[in-house]
Amino acid sequence: MTGPAPDAPVDLDPLLVPQNAAAAAAQGLKTEEYAVLIERLGRHPNLVELGIFSVMWSEHCSYKSTRRHLRKFPTTGPRVIQGPGENAGVIDIGANEAGVRQACIFKMESHNHPSYIEPYQGAATGVGGILRDVFTMGARPIALVNALRFGDPSHPRTRSLVAGVVAGIGGYGNCVGVPTVAGETQFHKGYNGNILVNAMAVGLADQNRIFYSRGAEPGNAIFYVGSKTGRDGIHGATMASAQFAKGDEEKRPTVQVGDPFTEKLLIEACLELMATDAIQSIQDMGAAGLTSSSVEIADKGAKTGEKGLGVEMDMDKVPQRETGMSAYEIMLSESQERMLMVLKPGREAEAKGIFAKWDLDAEIIGMTTDTGRLVLKQQGRTVCDIPVSPLSNDAPNYDRPWVEPVKAPPLDISKYPEPTDYGEVLLKLMSSPDMASKRWIWEQYDRHVMGDTIDSSQSGGDAAIVRIHGANKALAITSDCNPHYVAADPYEGGKQAVAEAYRNLSAVGATPIAITDNLNFGNPEKPEIMGQIVRATDGMAEACRVLDFPVVSGNVSLYNETDGVGIPPTPVVGGIGVIEDLSIFAPNGKPSWGVVDGENLYLVGGFGTHMGASAYVREILDLDGHAGGPPPPVDLELEKRNGEFVREAIRQGWACAAKDISEGGFLCAAAEFVLQWKCGLQMDLPEVLDALPALFGEDQGRYIVAIKTHLHDRAAELAAEMGVDLVFVGDLHAGGLSFNIGRTTIGLSRDQLYSAHEGWLPRYMKGET
């Protein structure tokens, strides 16, 4: 160990804490971590320094349990401009009609713990934070996505949590003027004490106007912009890295308070300043606030000397909305709508003028240095003086012990009675909490602000379609995860989350380009939970490799537990694809893709055979968890081949509508198809089929596709060439859903399907169920 002895006096602010592991534990650091801190620092820290180490070494900021496993993900590709390591991922989407090459910038993050404690502000600030990750890099946000998991509908808190979270998402997104175009909502008792609120933002930028947190050089001004700093959100990153216990819902002071109107001003001011090329480096103040943003800029700064880039800041110059704030409070506050920049020399007055125009605070609070240290001063005294390296790339990196997850045993579906009324089963599945329409939710979101939303996945499509302004093409956006699959077999479930995103993009004719992710798990210190993390990331990485679908950004949210009980493992995938020719969907600027009477419906990938972990066994047989059997295996080569066929059929104009088959199997997908396209469907299925798995099995890699009657021969030829199983299943007409399979006959009107699918959530939110 180098430097002064641990007990040597320090000429710093005398906010010294009791110098022992118990004091560190109160800040979220474990005994062994505190010992490493002393070794790295060469002495005991004072309170300010201890607070800074505690948030930077939190799971939320350091990824100390998952860094080594995240390296398994493929992160490069022909369209990847920036992979993980920056505020968001960046992909090449080609040139607009003016010939300017553009980029899509996107990321997903969690705001789980805050949303459970204070649903409205927790969800709202989750939206605000993910927007800043995107426009920090020079992108104008064009779309928002949310992936929500709530507890059992019968739990006393679930209804109020749904209402608060949805209001927070809508309240922030609608006010800031960015459409919420895609998402998913599920219910399960495993989220009773720890809901999940994952937010994703998508933006557009010109490739010559992309900004990074890296690249700052010594001797330049550090520029604070946006809202003033208050005491809200202090130790939010630490709280997000801890388990819940009874009474933790009272931790409201750690939940940030958002202001979408200020965020809108901040977006416009930042984009205007970016157009001047005055910024050398930029980082939003998210988790851990001014601490993480300053450390990120220093850690990624230009390496001009042995010690690296340093940062020196004066706490008295930080705009504050409360009096008497200590350096500890200022550095750990997570007040919203704030950014940190390093400006190029001589551009300070120009930058101040732009932010004054937008009525936002903008102050020079320090300078970059060549010392490699984070130095803070307040009232003329040095209150912090620590090296940057241990806070960032030298933070703890654990190889936590793990055990192979126990997989669900095979399910013998023959032990259970076959349904006597398949129509009744279909209606029950379509009205179950997970599969029922979430219209009550998405109607509270403005999906069409900005005027470029072609279609929203929330209204029935597999992926949202958002026009790229100034170009005859669009982005397709989706969010996917089936936690039931992951719980039953983390490896196959991880593969499936990626594969379903790939299918949803393919089903709207988009070429899948890249993903972001949000890995939500329980306590990684438990070997069985760590086993879920390891095997789920293994499966995701394998799927990304085979499907050429790299990971470019993401977030890890661990310790999602209450009183020692973890959530179902939920690795959410946000996928982005590109539709190169939007005229297929909207030749006159209006959506025109869709079905007409007399066209044929085909099944891509064959009929189902696998019932394990399906919606049927959960909702009809009431078999949850391992009792419901293993999930369907994912054949990634089949996924790739079938997806390529569907995309080509759409591009050629042979297919006029498509839908992937996922939860609920073939028959539920057919019912959703009828509702989405307001059509009817008559099917006569082969008698030799085993009706139950054929209708409700959830085998992967499958689609239903409506093909124009006079073009089906071309589609069949292509399918044969590609080795794709393409089966005619019925005709489209103006009625409802009817089919025959052996002695089984079903006839349901569209009104019956609509009533079942649309009725549950509004009744639930009124307290009628």
Side-chain angles (χ1 to χ4, degrees), residues 279-296:
I279 299 172
Q280 190 173 79
S281 174
I282 182 169
Q283 176 75 36
D284 87 291
M285 293 192 214
L290 187 53
T291 290
S292 63
S293 57
S294 58
V295 170
E296 285 280 339

Side-chain angles (χ1 to χ4, degrees), residues 456-502:
S456 162
S457 74
Q458 298 160 325
S459 55
D462 288 309
I465 301 173
V466 179
R467 179 190 294 107
I468 297 172
H469 211 73
N472 184 38
K473 56 186 176 182
L475 297 176
I477 308 166
T478 187
S479 168
D480 298 287
C481 180
N482 188 326
H484 306 288
Y485 289 179
V486 188
D489 184 336
Y491 180 73
E492 289 295 335
K495 286 165 62 179
Q496 192 274 341
V498 175
E500 187 172 355
Y502 184 89

Side-chain angles (χ1 to χ4, degrees), residues 10-17 45-48 378 381-383:
V10 182
D11 184 22
L12 296 171
D13 186 321
L15 288 172
L16 294 173
V17 297
N46 67 9
L47 179 60
V48 178
Q378 189 173 38
R381 295 180 301 175
T382 298
V383 296

Side-chain angles (χ1 to χ4, degrees), residues 486-531:
V486 188
D489 184 336
Y491 180 73
E492 289 295 335
K495 286 165 62 179
Q496 192 274 341
V498 175
E500 187 172 355
Y502 184 89
R503 281 199 306 277
N504 281 333
L505 297 174
S506 297
V508 299
T511 302
I513 303 298
I515 71 169
T516 183
D517 61 55
N518 207 137
L519 308 181
N520 305 275
F521 291 90
N523 183 352
E525 297 170 51
K526 297 179 178 180
E528 63 274 18
I529 299 298
M530 198 64 217

Side-chain angles (χ1 to χ4, degrees), residues 605-630:
F607 287 98
T609 61
H610 190 98
M611 293 298 296
S614 65
Y616 179 89
V617 301
R618 293 196 309 275
E619 299 295 337
I620 307 302
L621 302 182
D622 196 26
L623 298 175
D624 199 5
H626 279 45

Side-chain angles (χ1 to χ4, degrees), residues 160-350:
S160 64
L161 287 168
V162 172
V165 165
V166 170
I169 292 170
Y172 205 101
N174 296 352
C175 291
V176 83
V178 179
T180 300
V181 299
E184 53 183 339
T185 304
Q186 293 178 313
F187 297 83
H188 190 272
K189 63 183 179 181
Y191 304 107
N192 281 351
N194 197 129
I195 65 174
L196 302 184
V197 175
N198 296 171
M200 175 178 170
V202 182
L204 288 178
D206 293 343
Q207 290 188 24
N208 62 351
R209 290 289 180 188
I210 298 173
F211 293 80
Y212 300 94
S213 59
R214 64 177 183 261
E217 297 178 352
N220 292 325
I222 298 172
F223 205 53
Y224 171 115
V225 302
S227 293
K228 290 179 168 63
T229 295
R231 290 189 170 96
D232 53 323
I234 292 174
H235 261 301
T238 305
M239 183 265 290
S241 307
Q243 303 173 72
F244 273 147
K246 289 182 180 178
D248 282 359
E249 62 272 14
E250 299 305 319
K251 291 183 177 178
R252 285 181 177 81
T254 61
V255 177
Q256 308 91 330
V257 178
D259 179 355
F261 300 104
T262 299
E263 182 102 338
K264 174 62 174 173
L265 298 177
L266 189 59
I267 292 173
E268 300 304 331
C270 286
L271 293 179
E272 183 175 336
L273 180 59
M274 288 167 172
T276 70
D277 199 32
I279 299 172
Q280 190 173 79
S281 174
I282 182 169
Q283 176 75 36
D284 87 291
M285 293 192 214
L290 187 53
T291 290
S292 63
S293 57
S294 58
V295 170
E296 285 280 339
I297 284 176
D299 179 57
K300 297 175 184 176
K303 305 302 180 185
T304 56
E306 276 186 24
K307 297 180 179 179
L309 193 74
V311 167
E312 183 171 318
M313 297 186 293
D314 186 342
M315 298 292 94
D316 297 326
K317 293 182 179 178
V318 175
Q320 299 164 47
R321 68 168 181 260
E322 301 182 46
T323 59
M325 290 188 70
S326 67
Y328 177 95
E329 293 172 321
I330 293 169
M331 289 300 291
L332 271 61
S333 167
E334 293 185 10
S335 294
Q336 297 292 285
E337 294 87 40
R338 301 180 302 158
M339 313 285 277
L340 199 66
M341 305 175 180
V342 176
L343 299 177
K344 293 180 179 179
R347 309 300 290 271
E348 296 85 356
E350 183 180 8

Side-chain angles (χ1 to χ4, degrees), residues 700-714:
Q700 299 294 289
R702 300 187 298 149
Y703 305 76
I704 51 176
V705 183
I707 295 178
K708 296 173 183 177
T709 306
H710 66 290
L711 294 171
H712 67 82
D713 288 346
R714 296 187 189 179

Side-chain angles (χ1 to χ4, degrees), residues 75-81 90-93 101 207 513 548-550:
T75 59
T76 60
R79 292 213 190 204
V80 176
I81 296 173
V90 186
I91 57 173
D92 179 359
I93 58 172
R101 295 199 67 81
Q207 290 188 24
I513 303 298
D548 299 320
F549 207 19

